[in-house]
Every structure is written in C-alpha cells, then in structure tokens.
Amino acid sequence: MRVLGVIPARYHSQRLPGKVLLPLRDKPIIQHVYERARQVFGDDLIVATDDMRIVDTVEGFGGKALMTRSTHTSGTERIGEVAERFIYDAYVNIQADEPFIEPDHLRRIVHLLAKYPLVSLVTRIHRLQDLLSPSVVKVVLDKEGRALYFSRTLVPYPRDLPLTSPELIARYGYYRHIGIYGYHRSVLMEIVALSVAPPEEIEQLEQLRWLYHGYSMWLQEMPYRGIGIDTTEDYEMAKELAEALL
C-alpha cells in the first residue's frame, strides 16, 4: 500500500496566527513536525498550505510544499485537494502544530490502514484538568474500538460523581483523541463531499460529520506526551517541553 503523509498547515489560525512558523529551539514548529514525519514517510511527505510564507519556509529547509485553495474549512478537505493531484492508496493527516509528534504514532496509523479504511488514535486521560478542558477532545469507543462520539465536554457524563472529584480518573476510563487521521483514498474522496452535520457545527469537530453520515472510524490506544499549539499559553508550555523532548 502506497501511503502519502500530508501536513495541512494554515497560516491564519484563529487563536494564534502564524503559529506553525513560530520558532522552537531555533527551528519553526512546522520543521519539527516535518522532520519527525519524514522518519516514517521519507519522500512521500508534503505540506499542504494556503500561504506562500509557509511554502517558502518548508522549501527553505528542504521539504516539499503545495499551495492549495484558501476556501477549505478543514485539514481533511485540504488533503482531498492533494489527493486530486497525487494518487496514493491512502493518506495520513499530520497535525502541523504538534512539534512533538511521535513517529511511532504515524507508523501505527500506517499499520492500521492495512486493515481499516478510516483510522485514528486515542490515549488515556490522566489529569482532571484535561478531562474538563474543552481543548481536550474526549472520545467514546464501542467494544470493537470504533468511535461512537467525540466531544469537547465530558462524555460519558458521570451521574454519580461531582465533576471535581479525583475519583473520575481512577474509577472510569476516559480517552482523549490524538488528532492524526488515516484514510483510504476512496473513503477520503467520499467524506470530503459530505454535507456539514449538526453535531459538527456545535462541537466544531470535523470527525463528527463522518460519524453522522454513517462512517466507522477505528481507533487504537497509544501513549501520548505531546501538545498541540493553539494558544500563546500552549506555545509557552511547548518551549518548556522542548528542552526535554526535542
């Protein structure tokens, strides 16, 4: 199976514009992501963006970048445009704001794609603050490891415990979503044509569109120690983590 790694990268992110070009230990964030992903995909890796500043940066450190339309509303839609130009059996959506992304996570996605057409990863939640944070996307799985629902709020809701109870972590197994996706080409081209779903509009989570329209997504648990950079606070935390992880 031929798999293309794609890093969708917008410049005008809502909360921290230009975040993928911010420096982290003397390299832009996008370069850290690219170099880690290249360990898995080699030359089958490309950044898909809507801004020449990102293209110039990526090409400046020897990477490959493609200008795409500015009208895309999600990374998956941007990868759909890439798939129109580059024909592969499957595609992996790699978050551009995850400088500590684990190559083993990407390898696991590729491994899962050999069996399932739409895949992603989860990890256990160990901190109460993550459990209650709307920035940490929670996911409920069925007994086969397929996603039932994703939410920014706490699901399943613990009827018999207060939300501030530390027992929530100990008594129940909650998962957070690791935002890496893998799609077979046929599924990718179908889901980018789907209409927006009501739960997606409420939660602002694109994967809810796929579940709403009847697609199954298989997820596998992996350890996770990274951080997605969405805010100035995240960036400051990433600079501290970089001393240990980069």
Side-chain angles (χ1 to χ4, degrees), residues 119-132:
V119 299
S120 191
L121 301 174
V122 297
T123 194
R124 291 276 182 173
I125 295 177
H126 298 290
R127 302 189 307 170
L128 188 61
Q129 66 197 72
D130 291 336
L131 197 61
L132 302 179

Side-chain angles (χ1 to χ4, degrees), residues 1-235:
M1 174 180 284
R2 296 180 66 242
V3 182
L4 179 67
V6 186
I7 306 172
R10 289 189 309 136
Y11 185 88
H12 296 288
S13 55
Q14 290 184 344
R15 288 179 285 180
L16 191 60
K19 62 183 179 180
V20 301
L21 300 184
L22 292 174
L24 203 60
R25 297 204 70 179
D26 301 322
K27 294 179 183 179
I29 287 170
I30 189 73
Q31 185 172 352
H32 289 291
V33 176
Y34 196 97
E35 289 176 350
R36 285 174 168 246
R38 187 158 50 189
Q39 295 178 38
V40 178
F41 296 100
D43 290 334
D44 294 315
L45 178 66
I46 194 166
V47 173
T49 185
D50 58 359
D51 195 285
M52 280 304 301
R53 285 168 287 191
I54 295 176
V55 171
D56 291 342
T57 297
V58 172
E59 292 181 346
F61 62 71
K64 292 189 291 187
L66 176 71
M67 274 293 290
T68 54
R69 295 187 294 272
S70 61
T71 53
H72 296 305
T73 61
S74 69
T76 299
E77 288 184 7
R78 200 171 302 283
I79 293 173
E81 182 179 345
V82 172
E84 293 172 358
R85 308 191 200 184
F86 297 91
I87 309 300
Y88 280 73
D89 299 312
Y91 303 82
V92 175
N93 181 340
I94 304 161
Q95 300 298 312
D97 59 2
E98 289 260 7
F100 312 112
I101 191 167
E102 296 281 355
D104 281 347
H105 287 177
L106 301 175
R107 293 187 186 98
R108 184 59 58 89
I109 289 287
V110 173
H111 176 77
L112 289 170
L113 283 168
K115 188 174 182 180
Y116 304 114
L118 181 58
V119 299
S120 191
L121 301 174
V122 297
T123 194
R124 291 276 182 173
I125 295 177
H126 298 290
R127 302 189 307 170
L128 188 61
Q129 66 197 72
D130 291 336
L131 197 61
L132 302 179
S133 170
S135 297
V136 175
V137 176
K138 275 67 71 175
V139 57
V140 182
L141 307 177
D142 72 7
K143 65 185 181 67
E144 303 296 335
R146 292 171 297 199
L148 289 173
Y149 193 73
F150 296 86
S151 183
R152 297 185 183 278
T153 193
L154 181 56
V155 288
Y157 187 87
R159 188 194 66 173
D160 298 328
L161 282 177
L163 296 184
T164 54
S165 172
E167 287 188 56
L168 283 176
I169 299 292
R171 186 183 299 185
Y172 305 119
Y174 284 96
Y175 291 100
R176 72 178 291 172
H177 184 220
I178 301 174
I180 308 169
Y181 301 105
Y183 337 76
H184 286 186
R185 177 181 175 80
S186 58
V187 169
L188 173 64
M189 303 315 285
E190 289 172 3
I191 63 178
V192 296
L194 297 173
S195 59
V196 175
E200 173 194 4
E201 288 190 300
I202 296 169
E203 299 261 18
Q204 290 298 295
L205 297 172
E206 63 169 321
Q207 60 269 38
L208 290 176
R209 183 186 310 189
W210 316 334
L211 299 186
Y212 180 84
H213 286 281
Y215 286 82
S216 292
M217 185 191 306
W218 283 262
L219 300 108
Q220 192 161 101
E221 182 180 352
M222 293 282 286
Y224 175 78
R225 58 175 183 169
I227 180 175
I229 299 174
D230 293 314
T231 65
T232 301
E233 292 75 18
D234 293 337
Y235 178 50

